[in-house]
Amino acid sequence: MAPQQCRSGAGRQAVAVVVVAVTTALVSGIGPAAVRSAPWTAEPAFAAAPPEPEPSSSDSVPAAPGPRSPADRAAAASPAFGAFLGSDAAGVNRIEAFSDWLGGADVRVAHTYLPGDRWSNIEGAPGFLDSWANWRKAEADRMFVLNVPMLERNEESLTDGEVRALLQRGAEGEFDHHFRVLAERLVTLRVPDTILVLGWEMNGTTYTHRCGPDPNAWKAYWNRIVTVMRSVPGQSFRFDFTPSRGRDAVPWTDCYPGDGTVDIIGMDAYDQPQGVSFDEQVNEPYGLRAHVDFARLHDKPVSYPEWGLFRNGDNADYMRKMLAWMDAHDPVYNTLSDYCPHGVWRCADNPEASLVYRIAHAADGGDPTVPTVPVPPLPTLVCSSTTWEEWIRQLTEGRLCLPLGWWQRMR
């Protein structure tokens, strides 16, 4: 799913829900373990692989860890989490505020996308990556995740025939030099350990770099790109093969390019389709269970480069269970898509799921208490209402007004 702009506006009702929810949580003593606790029973649904042994205890959802000391957090290799907060330098600048919103949580992952409109941008246009690289280099345990399109005109709805021809040209080496330039720029910027989400959501129809028109050419092209980028001196890239959850246009297993060029097996997993429960998302063909089973079969770690709310709205149950799922399966990293309708910070449409996310991550940061929710003051206006009913109606519309008679008596 491509990055999108956050929709503006949060109704006064949404703010009120957050305040009530936070108050309830504080009064009832909700803690991280309660937030993340989401037991379910689910059988492996990935039928394309040989049968796996019975699921180990790691397939159950453990209780969330308690608060860690700064020393423990610095020494821990996981969990590493972040959010997509914008493609350009503004996204980097928001990371500190996002951490503050989470009560000082240790946000270790920065995630952005190279524009796929033209080759010069896929190469990493001069200046585009600088602020991201600087953020990564500031702390040794940080991660920089970069989504890399495999073809230009990546969102221009090219036909299957056009895509097939481009994939074949790529597999023959015509586009090698673009990816060599990108690799050299990342090494020059001293971020040679960047995680590259190459050709993401290839099993769908959104992108020109989709796999469906010619899976064999797609795999050959992926392998060629990885080989070219790994040939650049000084690099230590990790390549993340990331389909979207479910079958989509083609089974994502048909696009897997091989263990030799894949370091991480990711999955973009949003709360959809409408009416589909989290348990169904786990058990559907090529769903969340299939993902971890496939990765285990290939001895690869998992990741969740894109995840968040979607068709089922402000779904606190999804948020609890997705956090618990990731706790159970120890991804290299996860980055939530923080824009409407998916997000929890920049999107005010999801106050209940937002509260779950904040409480859960307080345990991974410093202060485990629930952060105070800032509520902007209502503007005080003079209004003409003279009845209680009219005044209440205007208040619910976000207008704190003093009836004209009151205002005149106060002057």
Side-chain angles (χ1 to χ4, degrees):
M1 186 172 296
Q4 299 181 25
Q5 297 299 317
C6 179
R7 291 181 306 196
S8 63
R12 189 63 52 190
Q13 181 180 4
V15 173
V17 170
V18 175
V19 174
V20 171
V22 171
T23 304
T24 303
L26 291 171
V27 171
S28 59
I30 293 176
V35 171
R36 292 183 188 248
S37 178
W40 62 81
T41 56
E43 297 299 324
F46 178 61
E52 288 287 301
E54 287 298 312
S56 67
S57 59
S58 63
D59 284 338
S60 62
V61 180
R68 297 173 292 163
S69 69
D72 290 338
R73 292 198 305 276
S78 63
F81 79 96
F84 172 65
L85 303 171
S87 295
D88 56 10
V92 182
N93 295 335
R94 293 185 181 110
I95 295 175
E96 183 177 357
F98 181 63
S99 172
D100 290 344
W101 179 76
L102 292 171
D106 188 13
V107 179
R108 292 175 47 210
V109 186
H111 183 192
T112 194
Y113 299 70
L114 289 173
D117 54 345
R118 61 190 69 180
W119 282 117
S120 60
N121 283 327
I122 296 174
E123 292 174 352
F128 182 81
L129 295 170
D130 293 27
S131 57
W132 298 94
N134 291 337
W135 181 89
R136 162 64 188 91
K137 291 180 291 186
E139 297 288 347
D141 65 346
R142 287 178 174 175
M143 297 181 187
F144 176 39
V145 177
L146 180 63
N147 277 47
V148 179
M150 293 169 66
L151 292 166
E152 67 174 349
R153 298 187 293 160
N154 200 37
E155 297 184 49
E156 293 188 13
S157 302
L158 273 62
T159 67
D160 283 355
E162 291 174 301
V163 170
R164 187 177 301 110
L166 288 168
L167 292 175
Q168 291 169 358
R169 289 164 60 188
E172 292 168 0
E174 184 174 337
F175 309 130
D176 286 4
H177 60 290
H178 300 298
F179 297 97
R180 185 174 294 107
V181 170
L182 172 61
E184 290 171 347
R185 283 181 171 159
L186 290 168
V187 170
T188 299
L189 288 168
R190 295 188 291 122
V191 283
D193 58 351
T194 299
I195 296 174
L196 302 168
V197 187
L198 179 63
W200 70 101
E201 299 186 9
M202 77 300 295
N203 55 324
T205 59
T206 300
Y207 300 111
T208 299
H209 67 215
R210 62 190 182 271
C211 166
D214 192 336
N216 288 332
W218 192 92
K219 291 183 282 189
Y221 184 29
W222 163 288
N223 289 331
R224 187 163 194 114
I225 293 170
V226 173
T227 300
V228 167
M229 296 189 73
R230 284 180 174 170
S231 72
V232 172
Q235 66 79 35
S236 55
F237 304 128
R238 283 185 285 178
F239 291 87
D240 192 331
F241 170 82
T242 299
S244 57
R245 197 201 79 237
R247 187 183 189 279
D248 215 326
V250 295
W252 50 261
T253 52
D254 290 356
C255 309
Y256 186 68
D259 292 345
T261 56
V262 173
D263 299 296
I264 303 167
I265 298 178
M267 178 160 281
D268 288 352
Y270 292 96
D271 184 21
Q272 64 173 339
Q274 187 172 5
V276 172
S277 69
F278 184 82
D279 291 356
E280 291 172 301
Q281 295 172 33
V282 168
N283 290 307
E284 69 178 334
Y286 307 100
L288 291 170
R289 178 74 69 187
H291 170 228
V292 296
D293 286 348
F294 186 87
R296 187 183 299 116
L297 179 68
H298 290 266
D299 196 25
K300 302 291 182 183
V302 300
S303 71
Y304 300 92
E306 292 185 27
W307 69 280
L309 305 160
F310 199 10
R311 303 292 185 188
N312 295 303
D314 183 16
N315 189 348
D317 184 64
Y318 165 85
M319 183 60 65
R320 279 189 293 270
K321 290 184 175 180
M322 188 64 187
L323 289 169
W325 179 265
M326 291 187 291
D327 279 352
H329 295 287
D330 193 23
V332 176
Y333 69 93
N334 79 79
T335 44
L336 180 136
S337 295
D338 192 59
Y339 55 88
C340 285
H342 313 300
V344 295
W345 178 46
R346 291 192 298 157
C347 181
D349 294 349
N350 303 311
E352 294 184 16
S354 175
L355 178 65
V356 172
Y357 187 90
R358 294 179 80 178
I359 294 175
H361 286 87
D364 293 333
D367 185 356
T369 61
V370 179
T372 302
V373 179
V375 181
L378 295 173
T380 302
L381 305 173
V382 177
C383 56
S384 59
S385 63
T386 57
T387 66
W388 277 106
E389 291 80 5
E390 180 65 13
W391 184 81
I392 291 296
R393 183 186 66 78
Q394 291 173 334
L395 179 62
T396 60
E397 292 174 354
R399 294 182 291 155
L400 180 58
C401 61
L402 295 177
L404 186 58
W406 298 358
W407 182 260
Q408 289 174 334
R409 286 195 294 271
M410 293 171 62
R411 292 178 65 183

